[in-house]
Amino acid sequence: MKILRTVEELRQWSRALRCQPGHTIGLVPTMGALHAGHGSLIRAARAVCQHVAVSIFVNPTQFGPNEDYARYPRSFDADCALAAAEGAEAVFAPSVEEMYPTGAATFVEVEGLGSRLDGASRPGHFRGVATVVAKLFLAAEADKAFFGQKDAAQVALLRRMAADLRFATEIVVCPIVREADGLAMSSRNAYLSPAERAQALVLSRALRHVEELAAHGERRASVLVEAARAVFAGEPAVRIDYIAVADWATLLPVETAAPGTLFAVAAHVGATRLIDNAILN
Ligand code: AMP
């Protein structure tokens, strides 16, 4: 597997392969600390693209000043082993200076969407995400890029950005991969103490309860939110950031859930902020 360090190396790698008839490129953007959720994206990419590159870049501009940029888990060698085992041909692992040259002053702002849900709780977060993904799309010139439904608001934001900027890269969304007990896999789960790990199950428990209510015909958003709150009340140490019933395209709240409506939660478990969601049907 190739390790690419510069935008130019990634561009050359991609162009050399894509110029062969029928050869397509899949890109899987990550911040590393890879787990089975990332693995599923790489597999999904391998299933439909001839060549897959995984980017590993802890993007400083998507972290707030009091967030976990410095201590975000970094495990480059293990990440490369996982990426290779899942069938990636290249890892793109640039320096901060490579992605943000000295004096960098150009950012991508998705108005409206960028300040909803996680964008409301984490000012500037989605500006950083949109900016780095735009840079990755420009560098990789991939046919398809693979993202997890786990970050559902991020998916909405990137779909809007890709449509607005007329990117040729198609966005593919993959299901949430969970631990056996329901906890959505996340690099940040590594922060949890054993007690917090148990408390964190309240997120998926609340989602399952809401999905059951919706399956039995409950569509009133206020009722679904209250039902989720009641589940969270059983785990008082967990602090809710938001519980939202929203249109998945606009991230605006809806009063009545319909097939495809996003039910999303974010909560602080100790010092760790976790997110999870379900698409109601
Ligand atoms: P991250 O490294 O956390 O920025 O995530 C990189 C990509 O992996 C994003 O598109 C995430 O949505 C996706 N991802 C993270 N966790 C999961 C999971 N549990 N299941 C599926 N995809 C995931």
Side-chain angles (χ1 to χ4, degrees):
M1 196 180 59
K2 282 199 157 59
I3 310 287
L4 311 170
R5 295 285 181 184
T6 68
V7 165
E8 196 49 33
E9 283 170 9
L10 176 59
R11 193 169 281 146
Q12 292 310 326
W13 175 83
S14 171
R15 285 186 180 173
L17 294 168
R18 283 188 89 217
C19 71
Q20 307 170 82
H23 285 243
T24 56
I25 304 288
L27 173 69
V28 180
T30 81
M31 297 205 300
L34 300 187
H35 51 65
H38 299 112
S40 76
L41 302 188
I42 302 170
R43 271 200 306 287
R46 277 289 290 131
V48 292
C49 298
Q50 272 68 41
H51 310 281
V52 175
V54 176
S55 67
I56 296 178
F57 180 62
V58 185
N59 174 36
T61 63
Q62 71 187 70
F63 289 80
N66 298 316
E67 292 186 350
D68 54 342
Y69 175 67
R71 69 183 187 117
Y72 194 84
R74 288 162 171 88
S75 53
F76 186 68
D77 293 344
D79 291 351
C80 289
L82 187 148
E86 297 289 9
E89 273 177 45
V91 161
F92 176 54
S95 64
V96 172
E97 169 69 20
E98 178 66 14
M99 296 305 278
Y100 296 97
T102 305
T106 305
F107 292 87
V108 177
E109 188 100 45
V110 182
E111 290 182 2
L113 277 164
S115 53
R116 294 174 193 148
L117 299 187
D118 306 283
S121 313
R122 305 179 65 190
H125 169 65
F126 280 141
R127 179 184 192 246
V129 169
T131 300
V132 80
V133 171
K135 288 173 185 248
L136 291 169
F137 278 17
L138 289 167
E141 297 179 353
D143 297 276
K144 298 176 194 282
F146 296 78
F147 295 90
Q149 181 203 311
K150 161 85 185 341
D151 296 85
Q154 168 175 287
V155 164
L157 175 100
L158 295 177
R159 281 175 166 157
R160 180 77 261 165
M161 178 193 78
D164 290 350
L165 298 183
R166 300 267 188 245
F167 276 114
T169 303
E170 179 196 340
I171 289 177
V172 181
V173 181
C174 302
I176 302 174
V177 176
R178 298 178 178 282
E179 304 284 359
D181 59 8
L183 180 68
M185 289 193 180
S186 165
S187 305
R188 289 193 168 95
N189 291 348
Y191 297 149
L192 301 172
S193 70
E196 291 167 345
R197 172 71 182 71
Q199 293 162 2
L201 288 175
V202 72
L203 279 84
S204 54
R205 206 155 58 230
L207 290 174
R208 270 205 311 277
H209 181 51
V210 164
E211 282 183 299
E212 272 169 32
L213 289 176
H216 285 92
E218 181 56 70
R219 300 169 61 178
R220 291 167 296 175
S222 58
V223 174
L224 296 174
V225 169
E226 275 319 303
R229 278 193 194 284
V231 176
F232 271 92
E235 207 61 81
V238 174
R239 194 161 50 84
I240 296 168
D241 175 359
Y242 66 70
I243 300 178
V245 189
D247 180 295
W248 195 11
T250 64
L251 303 182
L252 287 169
V254 299
E255 280 179 16
T256 308
T261 294
L262 170 65
F263 192 94
V265 299
H268 296 272
V269 183
T272 305
R273 183 176 178 280
L274 299 178
I275 58 174
D276 201 350
N277 69 83
I279 304 301
L280 303 178
N281 55 37

